[in-house]
Amino acid sequence: MNKLSRIAVLLAAGLCAGCSSLGPKPWEKDLMARPEMQLDPYPLQTAAQEHIYFSKEASSGGRGFAGGGCGCN
Amino acid sequence: MNRYVLAALMVLLGGAVARAEPLDLSRYRGKVVYLDFWASWCTPCHLSFPWMNDLQQSYGREGLAIVAVDLDRDPHAADGFLAENRGALDIVRDPKGDIARQFNFKDMPTAILIGRDGRIRATHSGFVTSQEGAYQADVVRLLAEKAP
Amino acid sequence: MKKRKAGRIKRALSAFSTTLLVAAACDDSALAQDFYGLDKQGRDNFGPGIAYSEIDSALLIYQESGGRVQAIEPSASLTVHGPVGQQLSLSAVADSVSGATPNGAVPSDQTQTFVTPLRAVGSTTTVTGASGGSTVIQLPPTPGQVATAALGRQYTVAPNTLPVDKGFHDHRAEVSAGWSEPLGPISEAGATLGYSQEEDYRSITLAGRLAKNFNGDNTTVSLDVNGEFDSSFPFGGIPTPLSVMNAQFKPQSSRDKTQVGFVLGLTQVMSRNWLTSLNYAFDSQKGYETDPYRVISLVDPGSGEPISSLYESRPGSRQTQSVYWDNKVMWGPTLTEVSLRYFHDDWGISSETAELSERISLGKAWYIEPNGRLYHQTAANFYAPYLVSGTNLPAYASSDSRLSRFDAVTYGLTLGVHISGRTELYLRGDYYTQMGQHHPANAIGQLRSQNLFQGSNATIIQAGLQWKFH
């Protein structure tokens, strides 16, 4: 879809601009280390919510959950 | 990196005394330095302390110096942890990361091994207990070298 | 809530990668240090690179307004972390759904009667009695065939009420297992297998993931590929699309559906306190998309009275795309999450979703998290609240409110507490409201005075426990 691809590319470009040096230093990731700062800290809650919305609405899914964290080890 | 860089470090860090505790590596000339960067919020860092203390006890007499640089933004964040775990380790506080910035690493913890010749000889990225033998082997290898 | 799970396996796989980079918790303040409960040696042994296990368990209770569908769903998962980034994940979900569900017909100012097959051939019991309203009836013999003791189920619906089938109940069980680990230059490689079974539906899912970290672990690029193989075997068999609703057992007993898709993800740690994630998802389905129990009313063009009920019909394929953008920002004692999703498919449905939540710490161990969600979708191009007799029947038609144009708002609140530092208990309540086209402008005859939107509101409660242990 044209509109969809444009949104995705714009957002990705925005995020990726200067990706090579973007982001905090390893010792600045104390907050990223917190469990609640992960992308999906409560998988059973997310599963239940998605199940309910899937049964009541026509759209589904779209999420992915890789990344974030403090980079420890 | 060579001894000149080490000297430059000392000059640089001497100038940064207002922001970090000075890290005077000249004290350790002729010794093997295990420069460990850690923080209280980093879980593998916690596990490395007992091992580092054992290492210090085993090889301190042979010329091993362990310097543990605390990168907590709040220098007192690690007080509770250190009260139980510090042992005999030298702790340097670097809340703004001025010392850490001189080195290029991406993991927490990271240990920089500096030989008796003052050069960086090895880097340990992260700390995994199953790798303790390999970490120790690196240290023993450097201790076996004679000071220049 | 008769619809099946979607993306459950995608989600199970997702739980893997979070732990690769998850660290346990210590904040940079002494307060948080106590809060996360370091062990006696002052060590926190639950984080990345540390091998620990975690059990999550939860119980969900779902109740729609107006005596409609209710469900209870317990779930549990076990995650075991290996010392160098490996992860094993097992999960199980069961649900029991019952209540009244719209059969798709429009309300009428007259009493309506519906016949539908019994749950099993030769059965002499129906779902009457406590679940109300159906009776077993003798079916008239098919012309040209020997009369048999064929039985069906019949129920009536009062005037001016939404036709619902009260004899609706189903049980479902689902299990999944997955493994992931670093593989050479790939930061994470994993696969998950899932199986879901209910009385009239079965689903097998297979998913794989590859993820790579860059830039000091601040950037992650990921690719999830998933496939789903479903089988529908409804009570009474597969009805012929747009044929008249009847209680005969249909000759075709089951039909399948296949789904393949992928999700491309880009996650970036933008700063010390801002994490952002962008995902593009594509999905292609082929096979049986129709709801075999659902009908659409054929109404008189003048009076708007339903003449008969026809089994609905949906296209045999569907392609969907979505873009999802999630942000988590930590400001002082609060954690804000805001996400947006845009969805589009080739059935003509487009939707926009916006979610906002705010997690607020209350002292050392407690937190509350209010949240809200706004949703808007357009109708499928074959959606119609009813069909008009005398016009040509379309190829596809469905009156399912899930495919109609509507807005939905959810209000929610979660309360959580950390017990013993390694265990967390939470209680979450949400109220979901749907606002659709209750009175379309072009409704004819008696339909002008009827509520033609079949959606409903729902109350959702979930309690859960997370327990980490060695």
Side-chain angles (χ1 to χ4, degrees):
Chain A
M1 237 17 248
N2 214 6
K3 180 174 178 184
L4 213 55
S5 319
R6 264 188 276 141
I7 293 174
V9 166
L10 275 173
L11 277 175
L15 281 181
C16 242
C19 252
S20 61
S21 56
L22 185 60
K25 295 270 178 246
W27 55 91
E28 292 169 343
K29 301 222 270 190
D30 54 321
L31 297 180
M32 290 296 146
R34 304 183 75 142
E36 61 268 26
M37 272 301 272
Q38 308 318 306
L39 287 173
D40 189 23
Y42 303 98
L44 296 186
Q45 273 189 44
T46 310
Q49 296 282 308
E50 297 216 328
H51 183 192
I52 289 165
Y53 290 126
F54 174 72
S55 73
K56 305 279 293 170
E57 299 171 350
S59 337
S60 61
R63 300 177 187 237
F65 294 110
C70 76
C72 295
N73 270 7
Chain B
M1 293 259 304
N2 55 25
R3 68 184 70 193
Y4 298 118
V5 182
L6 207 58
L9 251 183
M10 294 188 301
V11 168
L12 237 125
L13 295 165
V17 76
R19 287 169 289 165
E21 289 170 22
L23 176 61
D24 184 7
L25 287 173
S26 63
R27 290 173 55 198
Y28 307 111
R29 194 169 308 168
K31 291 191 170 190
V32 172
V33 181
Y34 193 88
L35 188 62
D36 184 75
F37 292 96
W38 65 281
S40 66
W41 47 264
C42 151
T43 304
C45 303
H46 300 172
L47 294 187
S48 72
F49 266 66
W51 176 78
M52 288 198 291
N53 266 296
D54 285 346
L55 204 67
Q56 182 76 73
Q57 278 200 336
S58 306
Y59 299 106
R61 269 167 275 114
E62 292 177 40
L64 173 67
I66 301 184
V67 181
V69 182
D70 176 13
L71 289 165
D72 280 289
R73 285 163 64 97
D74 171 6
H76 295 289
D79 286 353
F81 170 74
L82 286 173
E84 301 269 354
N85 293 275
R86 178 179 181 155
L89 300 176
D90 282 342
I91 306 289
V92 172
R93 292 190 163 78
D94 186 20
K96 292 212 165 45
D98 298 318
I99 302 170
R101 227 175 286 274
Q102 313 308 320
F103 303 86
N104 187 20
F105 59 88
K106 72 170 179 71
D107 282 320
M108 289 289 288
T110 294
I112 312 278
L113 281 73
I114 300 168
R116 298 185 196 272
D117 55 1
R119 290 167 43 210
I120 292 180
R121 305 293 299 278
T123 305
H124 294 158
S125 294
F127 183 84
V128 180
T129 50
S130 61
Q131 298 287 304
E132 281 174 6
Y135 301 148
Q136 187 171 318
D138 278 349
V139 171
V140 167
R141 180 170 53 86
L142 294 181
L143 286 169
E145 296 173 359
K146 291 196 172 347
Chain C
M1 200 164 72
K2 177 96 175 125
K3 297 285 279 286
R4 282 81 204 183
K5 54 129 189 85
R8 168 144 195 111
I9 304 315
K10 297 176 208 169
R11 210 171 24 265
L13 198 55
S14 78
F16 294 164
S17 58
T18 61
T19 64
L20 243 207
L21 302 170
V22 150
C26 280
D27 196 5
D28 60 355
S29 73
L31 188 70
Q33 197 169 297
D34 293 329
F35 162 53
Y36 284 105
L38 301 175
D39 68 14
K40 282 197 291 294
Q41 286 79 37
R43 290 177 303 205
D44 179 357
N45 289 334
F46 297 90
I50 313 296
Y52 70 92
S53 307
E54 178 175 331
I55 288 179
D56 283 68
S57 60
L59 182 67
L60 172 78
I61 294 166
Y62 172 89
Q63 174 72 66
E64 286 180 352
S65 52
R68 299 255 299 254
V69 172
Q70 64 202 50
I72 187 160
E73 182 174 293
S75 58
S77 72
L78 167 69
T79 307
V80 183
H81 295 96
V84 279
Q86 310 99 324
Q87 185 177 333
L88 171 71
S89 189
L90 303 170
S91 76
V93 187
D95 68 50
S96 176
V97 190
S98 63
T101 193
N103 63 14
V106 290
S108 164
D109 52 12
Q110 326 254 326
T111 304
Q112 295 187 75
T113 301
F114 300 93
V115 281
T116 189
L118 293 171
R119 286 177 90 89
V121 178
S123 165
T124 53
T125 60
T126 72
V127 291
T128 80
S131 45
S134 307
T135 51
V136 179
I137 55 156
Q138 181 93 35
L139 299 179
T142 316
Q145 293 195 341
V146 177
T148 62
L151 300 172
R153 179 164 70 91
Q154 175 177 291
Y155 57 96
T156 56
V157 171
N160 301 313
T161 57
L162 179 70
V164 294
D165 185 348
K166 291 186 187 152
F168 163 66
H169 66 87
D170 204 358
H171 304 277
R172 183 177 72 96
E174 180 189 330
V175 291
S176 76
W179 174 266
S180 80
E181 62 178 34
L183 207 61
I186 299 168
S187 311
E188 179 196 350
T192 316
L193 187 61
Y195 181 82
S196 170
Q197 172 87 51
E198 51 199 282
E199 296 184 43
D200 57 359
Y201 204 86
R202 178 180 56 239
S203 177
I204 295 167
T205 344
L206 184 60
R209 156 171 291 175
L210 295 173
K212 173 89 182 142
N213 301 325
F214 302 93
N215 192 17
D217 289 351
N218 286 330
T219 309
T220 306
V221 170
S222 64
L223 172 66
D224 286 64
V225 178
N226 49 82
E228 189 173 310
F229 314 96
D230 296 353
S231 227
S232 176
F233 32 93
F235 308 113
I238 305 282
T240 305
L242 301 177
S243 63
V244 176
M245 184 188 197
N246 64 81
Q248 307 290 347
F249 281 93
K250 283 73 181 176
Q252 187 176 27
S253 59
S254 76
R255 282 209 48 194
D256 298 335
K257 180 175 78 173
T258 310
Q259 194 170 327
V260 286
F262 66 86
V263 181
L264 274 172
L266 172 67
T267 302
Q268 176 71 41
V269 183
M270 298 292 284
S271 71
R272 176 176 169 256
N273 48 16
W274 177 23
L275 176 66
T276 194
S277 181
L278 183 66
N279 295 283
Y280 168 78
F282 174 84
D283 202 65
S284 175
Q285 306 174 20
K286 275 193 171 50
Y288 192 61
E289 299 277 354
T290 303
D291 183 336
Y293 303 113
R294 191 169 274 275
V295 297
I296 181 167
S297 295
L298 189 66
V299 307
D300 179 272
S303 64
E305 292 293 349
I307 298 166
S308 64
S309 303
L310 306 181
Y311 287 109
E312 68 155 43
S313 170
R314 300 188 196 187
S317 70
R318 185 182 187 193
Q319 266 193 11
T320 73
Q321 296 179 78
S322 68
V323 176
Y324 175 72
W325 186 30
D326 189 21
N327 293 276
K328 297 186 82 146
V329 188
M330 197 122 196
W331 274 321
T334 68
L335 168 60
T336 306
E337 180 165 13
V338 53
S339 71
L340 298 172
R341 178 186 61 177
Y342 176 72
F343 171 97
H344 184 89
D345 73 6
D346 64 355
W347 283 3
I349 300 170
S350 293
S351 76
E352 295 89 34
T353 314
E355 288 179 279
L356 174 69
S357 71
E358 193 77 35
R359 178 179 167 130
I360 303 156
S361 293
L362 304 171
K364 285 190 186 181
W366 293 81
Y367 68 89
I368 57 160
E369 185 173 325
N371 64 272
R373 178 181 186 270
L374 294 176
Y375 179 80
H376 169 77
Q377 75 171 46
T378 63
N381 48 34
F382 55 89
Y383 168 80
Y386 53 85
L387 294 174
V388 181
S389 172
T391 62
N392 287 335
L393 285 181
Y396 308 114
S398 173
S399 62
D400 191 341
S401 64
R402 298 179 193 105
L403 301 177
S404 72
R405 181 188 188 86
F406 66 86
D407 295 318
V409 182
T410 313
Y411 315 86
L413 185 69
T414 307
L415 178 66
V417 58
H418 286 81
I419 312 161
S420 84
R422 285 296 119 226
T423 313
E424 184 180 334
L425 194 60
Y426 61 83
L427 179 66
R428 177 174 179 157
D430 290 89
Y431 185 63
Y432 176 78
T433 67
Q434 281 186 332
M435 291 140 290
Q437 295 174 304
H438 299 265
H439 299 285
N442 57 358
I444 57 183
Q446 63 93 20
L447 294 168
R448 300 186 79 84
S449 61
Q450 303 289 359
N451 175 4
L452 297 184
F453 180 64
Q454 300 173 8
S456 67
N457 299 344
T459 302
I460 305 149
I461 296 171
Q462 187 176 35
L465 182 68
Q466 274 191 341
W467 177 42
K468 293 176 176 146
F469 60 99
H470 278 283

